[in-house]
Amino acid sequence: MVETVIKGVSIEGVVTVVPSDIVTFEDDASRLNINTSQAKRIKDSIGLSERRVIKKGITALDLGEKACKELIKGLKNNADDIGFLIFVTQTPDHSQPCNAAILQSRLGFDSSVGSMDINLGCSGYIYGLFTAASMAKSLDRDILLVVGDTLSTIVNPLDRSTAILFGDAASATLLSNKDGEQMFFDMSTDGSGYESIIVPAGGARMPQTEFTSKENKDDDGNIRSPNDLKMIGGDVFNFAVRTEPIAVKKLLDYSKILETDIDFFFFHQANKYILRTIARRLNLPKDKVPDSIITKYGNQSSASIPCVINESLQANKSSLVLLSGFGVGLSWASMICRLELKYCPSPITWDQNNE
């Protein structure tokens, strides 16, 4: 574990944008031939109801651009104060150049604004906040952090283990220097479990070919090709409920902050069963662990934590929060900070039909 504190940096605002198109759990269950009783058990346990998905031709970059423009407008900040742009995504427009470089141009930023992508998923918001906070401190400039994925585009619609889970979204967060603030971080990785969440083909190790496009059915009846996202759900569940309680306790010990002083625990919204298991093992009150995002929007990868912040917090209200993400890598990361956001609207729906 890497534990550290960054002083003198605050989060000024958060915006999350979700697409307007909705796929209901009933739609997914019908397509996958999941019988009524089994569908009810899955829906009740995991908390699925509907998810938001992009239209063809829309990408995480487009969602991120919408979120950035809304954030800058809402904060009434001078865009000239932004010194660096970070984009955390696993579904970039291109293998190169990075999304951040394209977005830097779309936002009309000066060429002095640096940009880079970070390839991470469900823990990516915390890793991104750590990187952004470090840059804000060293550069003495505002840092714009964008996180977002369109995982609905890389799952096989006939894969029961993934097709029912993922929704699309992107979030923008602005970090600024502010005296008196503290951010406590903890970050960890166990790369031995990398195959638990993986897209086997499409990189240098296994380029996409006609062969990698061929679909196969596994022993559980899931249909996918090597081009599709593969997730071993049991492995991911065991990883999450094993590592998260330990990580949260260690960060609380490191920060010397009492669990009872935390107003909200914002975990990655993987599914309700995982979140409730983690909360139970930590003996956390239910009202301190929001878990409605998976029901409304699906698993949004790196955008799920900022989305639940937008869903739960009001602007200009101070809250001491613990944020924690876990997933692909396998990786996990947590942070504690005080949020008194100047701009924090409810998740914004982008009507793709009017574009």
Side-chain angles (χ1 to χ4, degrees), residues 159-166 218 222 224 229-231 233:
D159 183 354
R160 294 186 177 193
S161 65
T162 60
I164 61 176
L165 293 176
F166 295 105
D218 66 16
N222 299 308
R224 74 176 77 88
L229 175 66
K230 175 185 178 182
M231 183 172 70

Side-chain angles (χ1 to χ4, degrees), residues 36-50:
T36 303
S37 60
Q38 184 183 13
K40 186 178 186 306
R41 287 196 302 272
I42 295 171
K43 184 175 182 177
D44 292 345
S45 174
I46 298 179
L48 299 172
S49 181
E50 58 188 46

Side-chain angles (χ1 to χ4, degrees), residues 317-333:
K317 183 177 180 180
S318 180
S319 299
L320 186 63
V321 300
L322 188 148
L323 317 179
S324 193
F326 49 89
V328 66
L330 295 169
S331 63
W332 62 105

Side-chain angles (χ1 to χ4, degrees), residues 106-128:
R106 286 192 184 185
L107 295 175
F109 288 169
D110 183 85
S111 60
S112 64
V113 176
S115 61
M116 70 177 186
D117 279 10
I118 296 176
N119 180 3
L120 268 175
C122 305
S123 66
Y125 188 55
I126 312 303
Y127 276 91

Side-chain angles (χ1 to χ4, degrees), residues 213-285:
S213 299
K214 292 182 178 178
E215 296 178 338
N216 299 288
K217 181 184 288 188
D218 66 16
D219 294 339
D220 296 319
N222 299 308
I223 298 173
R224 74 176 77 88
S225 76
N227 293 345
D228 302 320
L229 175 66
K230 175 185 178 182
M231 183 172 70
I232 304 174
D235 289 355
V236 176
F237 172 81
N238 291 332
F239 149 72
V241 301
R242 181 184 72 250
T243 58
E244 281 294 288
I246 295 171
V248 167
K249 289 178 180 178
K250 286 192 173 183
L251 185 57
L252 288 168
D253 289 343
Y254 172 72
S255 66
K256 296 181 172 56
I257 294 173
L258 297 177
E259 176 187 296
T260 52
D261 290 334
I262 301 292
D263 296 309
F264 292 102
F265 293 80
F266 292 130
F267 292 101
H268 163 54
Q269 304 283 294
N271 67 58
K272 285 194 175 185
Y273 186 54
I274 288 178
L275 294 188
R276 290 174 179 176
T277 302
I278 294 170
R280 186 174 64 250
R281 292 189 177 186
L282 287 166
N283 294 313
L284 301 177

Side-chain angles (χ1 to χ4, degrees), residues 13-277:
V14 179
V15 167
T16 301
V17 172
V18 298
S20 56
D21 285 15
I22 295 173
V23 177
T24 68
F25 178 70
E26 287 71 23
D27 294 334
D28 286 328
S30 175
R31 187 183 68 255
L32 293 163
N33 294 317
I34 301 174
N35 66 55
T36 303
S37 60
Q38 184 183 13
K40 186 178 186 306
R41 287 196 302 272
I42 295 171
K43 184 175 182 177
D44 292 345
S45 174
I46 298 179
L48 299 172
S49 181
E50 58 188 46
R51 53 196 181 90
R52 300 294 184 92
V53 298
I54 56 165
K55 286 188 177 297
K56 186 175 182 180
I58 304 295
T59 69
L61 176 60
D62 301 320
L63 293 170
E65 179 185 1
K66 293 283 185 182
C68 288
K69 289 180 176 178
E70 178 63 30
L71 179 63
I72 293 170
K73 177 184 175 183
L75 285 173
K76 299 180 173 61
N77 274 31
N78 188 343
D80 294 340
D81 293 334
I82 296 173
F84 210 95
L85 171 62
I86 301 168
F87 204 128
V88 180
T89 187
Q90 296 176 117
T91 51
D93 278 25
H94 312 283
S95 61
Q96 53 181 296
C98 67
N99 267 14
I102 302 170
L103 184 56
Q104 185 268 353
S105 174
R106 286 192 184 185
L107 295 175
F109 288 169
D110 183 85
S111 60
S112 64
V113 176
S115 61
M116 70 177 186
D117 279 10
I118 296 176
N119 180 3
L120 268 175
C122 305
S123 66
Y125 188 55
I126 312 303
Y127 276 91
L129 287 172
F130 171 73
T131 306
S134 301
M135 286 185 171
K137 192 70 177 172
S138 61
L139 299 177
D140 194 25
R141 299 284 298 279
D142 291 353
I143 308 297
L144 184 58
L145 170 65
V146 186
V147 296
D149 277 311
T150 52
L151 295 186
S152 72
T153 64
I154 60 171
V155 299
N156 192 301
L158 298 179
D159 183 354
R160 294 186 177 193
S161 65
T162 60
I164 61 176
L165 293 176
F166 295 105
D168 304 323
S171 297
T173 302
L174 188 75
L175 293 89
S176 297
N177 288 284
K178 184 177 180 181
D179 292 339
E181 298 294 332
Q182 293 189 104
M183 294 180 173
F184 297 93
F185 289 91
D186 168 77
M187 293 159 287
S188 300
T189 305
D190 180 7
S192 67
Y194 79 96
E195 289 183 306
S196 297
I197 311 173
I198 188 172
V199 179
R205 178 71 58 186
M206 186 189 296
Q208 287 191 358
T209 63
E210 183 178 348
F211 171 78
T212 66
S213 299
K214 292 182 178 178
E215 296 178 338
N216 299 288
K217 181 184 288 188
D218 66 16
D219 294 339
D220 296 319
N222 299 308
I223 298 173
R224 74 176 77 88
S225 76
N227 293 345
D228 302 320
L229 175 66
K230 175 185 178 182
M231 183 172 70
I232 304 174
D235 289 355
V236 176
F237 172 81
N238 291 332
F239 149 72
V241 301
R242 181 184 72 250
T243 58
E244 281 294 288
I246 295 171
V248 167
K249 289 178 180 178
K250 286 192 173 183
L251 185 57
L252 288 168
D253 289 343
Y254 172 72
S255 66
K256 296 181 172 56
I257 294 173
L258 297 177
E259 176 187 296
T260 52
D261 290 334
I262 301 292
D263 296 309
F264 292 102
F265 293 80
F266 292 130
F267 292 101
H268 163 54
Q269 304 283 294
N271 67 58
K272 285 194 175 185
Y273 186 54
I274 288 178
L275 294 188
R276 290 174 179 176
T277 302

